[in-house]
Amino acid sequence: MTTSETGIPLTVGRAWWLVRRDIERGFAAAWHDHFTSTLILDRRISVPKAHADDTSPPVHVLAGEEQWLMAAWMLTSFLHFTDRPWNIFVHDDGTLSENARAELIRLFDGITIVPRSDADVVMKDTLGMYPRCAAYRDAHPLGIKCFDIPHMAKGERFLLLDSDVLFFKRPDQILAWAEDENDHSTWFNQDPQEPSSLSLDQCQSDLGFSLWPRVNSGLCLLHKDSIRLTNFEQWLELAAIKNGIAWRTEQTLLALGASRTGKGGLLPEGYEVSLGKTRKPDAIARHYVGAVRSRFYAEGVRDLKGCLLN
């Protein structure tokens, strides 16, 4: 991705980092990142918005300057394979440039961008009585997924999609959930390993309920009953979470909240999170987590360009 696409200044240090990254991830990933991925910007997608009285859950995405083009591919693949109206909101993690915002609005006619500065004003009041929640949000942009998006989402249900997810088939389970306004369950894709900061045994002994194993929050179908600030504030004081890895905290809080309700669980394995080089033949979607981020381009963009760029 070039400087003109990201808006990030191309210093000597950054240029050297980009060269090393391309060498490490291989020719195919570098090629499809630099040359194929930018072709999505030649499209202009009219996003049919759900009517104001429609009970369909909105779609929320967290994106920054490094991920916005990935988010464009994710949303294009999601819209292509769902083929239905959605209200889509992209939340700025604090790094999204004016150019990136303009490109997303131009590409997806009808989406809403939520600037970080606007969200900060809203969430300062919302989290006023929850200092641990506020501190985590201030320290890590993933806190936006725990606090901002649930607070700002209209209705009781919403979809939360990470930028590094791609869809390859019609997601029937997502569509069925979205179309059933009486479905109060919460669903996640399944991680290949346990990512929670709190162990299953600790959850049972300390909190008194069973933690769903291997919850990955890259693709979530959420009901607001699973998101309680009073609970999040309490859980952030647990040593395993407070002293754990920061990027796992958001995932752990969402997993705990959903497990507490006991409604829902894990999506089928077709909603894939894996560390392998290639996705499974029956994959409906794949979350390209950090360890296989290069495959987003070398596999995902490569395989979707035929249907998404035409």
Side-chain angles (χ1 to χ4, degrees):
M1 195 180 296
T2 67
T3 305
S4 61
E5 289 145 13
T6 64
I8 299 173
L10 188 60
T11 62
V12 173
R14 179 168 174 78
W16 176 237
W17 177 83
L18 289 170
V19 170
R20 290 195 307 170
R21 182 194 65 173
D22 283 349
I23 292 172
E24 290 173 0
R25 64 183 179 169
F27 174 79
W31 176 271
H32 289 294
D33 180 4
H34 291 301
F35 298 104
T36 310
S37 67
T38 57
L39 297 178
I40 203 77
L41 300 178
D42 294 333
R43 297 202 55 185
R44 190 167 188 271
I45 303 166
S46 179
V47 182
K49 298 191 73 170
H51 295 298
D53 58 351
D54 194 329
T55 58
S56 297
V59 175
H60 289 261
V61 181
L62 174 65
E65 195 63 23
E66 293 277 7
Q67 308 90 21
W68 72 268
L69 195 55
M70 297 176 75
W73 275 86
M74 181 276 291
L75 285 171
T76 302
S77 68
F78 178 73
L79 292 168
H80 177 82
F81 287 107
T82 57
D83 190 28
R84 55 151 291 166
W86 297 100
N87 291 323
I88 298 176
F89 299 82
V90 176
H91 296 254
D92 169 20
D93 72 357
T95 66
L96 204 60
S97 67
E98 289 295 334
N99 175 69
R101 295 182 198 179
E103 285 290 342
L104 287 169
I105 291 171
R106 181 191 61 80
L107 179 59
F108 300 102
D109 179 30
I111 71 166
T112 300
I113 305 291
V114 182
R116 176 65 187 260
S117 56
D118 292 355
D120 285 346
V121 173
V122 173
M123 298 310 296
K124 182 178 180 180
D125 292 336
T126 303
L127 299 180
M129 296 178 60
Y130 306 96
R132 298 187 192 100
C133 294
Y136 176 63
R137 181 185 181 275
D138 289 343
H140 207 294
L142 287 175
I144 293 171
K145 292 175 64 176
C146 296
F147 311 122
D148 302 35
I149 291 175
H151 177 72
M152 297 180 183
K154 295 180 179 179
E156 293 300 309
R157 303 185 304 146
F158 60 96
L159 279 78
L160 181 54
L161 302 177
D162 277 3
S163 301
D164 52 358
V165 172
L166 287 172
F167 290 82
F168 299 93
K169 294 181 180 179
R170 177 182 167 88
D172 289 326
Q173 291 82 4
I174 292 177
L175 291 169
W177 179 86
E179 290 164 7
D180 184 357
E181 61 183 278
N182 296 315
D183 190 340
H184 293 177
S185 59
T186 290
W187 300 89
F188 302 90
N189 49 2
Q190 184 174 4
D191 205 274
Q193 53 199 7
E194 182 54 59
S196 175
S197 300
L198 193 70
S199 72
L200 276 62
D201 289 342
Q202 284 176 306
C203 182
Q204 187 66 62
S205 62
D206 295 351
L207 302 181
F209 58 84
S210 297
L211 176 64
W212 296 345
R214 295 166 59 185
V215 166
N216 180 287
S217 61
L219 191 164
C220 316
L221 317 180
L222 294 169
H223 190 280
K224 289 186 180 180
D225 186 45
S226 67
I227 297 168
R228 303 283 181 87
L229 292 179
T230 51
N231 289 335
F232 285 2
E233 184 75 6
Q234 171 195 349
W235 297 335
L236 282 168
E237 184 59 18
L238 295 172
I241 297 177
K242 184 167 59 175
N243 301 325
I245 300 172
W247 63 263
R248 290 187 174 185
T249 300
E250 159 263 330
Q251 204 156 233
T252 301
L253 291 177
L254 293 176
L256 286 170
S259 300
R260 179 191 61 82
T261 69
K263 299 176 182 178
L266 300 175
L267 289 164
E269 292 184 358
Y271 296 87
E272 183 176 339
V273 187
S274 65
L275 302 178
K277 184 176 181 180
T278 59
R279 69 183 184 278
K280 297 176 182 176
D282 61 346
I284 299 166
R286 186 178 183 187
H287 182 197
Y288 293 89
V289 293
V292 291
R293 183 62 48 75
S294 63
R295 301 304 298 167
F296 182 96
Y297 303 100
E299 175 189 79
V301 168
R302 178 199 67 192
D303 292 353
L304 287 172
K305 62 178 181 160
C307 64
L308 299 187
L309 296 180
N310 293 330

